[in-house]
Each structure stands twice: as C-alpha cells, then as structure tokens.
Amino acid sequence: MNLTPSEREQIAEILKRRANEIAGFRGDYSKEGSHFGSVELALTREIERLRRLAGRVCPEEPEDE
C-alpha cells in the first residue's frame, strides 16, 4: 500500500499530536508527589517512539542555507 504525501503528512501530524498529549500528561503526572519512575519512563519511551515514527512516515526536508 502506497501512501500519498498528504496522507503521510496527516499520519505524522496525528503521531506528533498524540506524543504531545502524552508529554502533557507526563508533565502533570510527574508533578504529583507520589508518582512512579517506571510509569514516567514508559511515558517517555512512548513519546519518543511516536515522534520517531512520525519522522519515518514523513521525514522533514533539510533546510536550505
């Protein structure tokens, strides 16, 4: 299945948005006094995984100097 450039951009946008939502939750979660480091680590890894996938689906073009 081949995706159009527009479809790739849409998928990358969804992945980035979801990563940002999780990052916001992680920030709120880590402010609590009784948070678990293992949960925070899992959230961090998921954020990184989603952002990495977004970069693979729709790589950013290098900026011309």
Side-chain angles (χ1 to χ4, degrees):
M1 169 170 86
N2 292 327
L3 299 171
T4 66
S6 175
E7 290 170 327
R8 288 178 176 274
E9 288 175 9
Q10 291 175 47
I11 292 168
E13 180 182 332
I14 291 166
L15 291 168
K16 289 176 187 176
R17 188 172 41 228
R18 184 65 181 138
N20 290 340
E21 290 171 356
I22 295 170
F25 175 81
R26 184 191 63 194
D28 292 341
Y29 178 77
S30 63
K31 288 179 188 174
E32 295 178 12
S34 62
H35 72 279
F36 297 100
S38 59
V39 173
E40 192 172 348
L41 176 62
L43 293 170
T44 299
R45 287 181 176 173
E46 181 66 2
I47 292 164
E48 292 170 356
R49 184 182 74 84
L50 291 170
R51 290 182 175 156
R52 190 172 45 252
L53 283 171
R56 290 186 66 196
V57 169
C58 186
E60 293 185 18
E61 304 268 336
E63 294 183 20
D64 293 335
E65 293 182 19

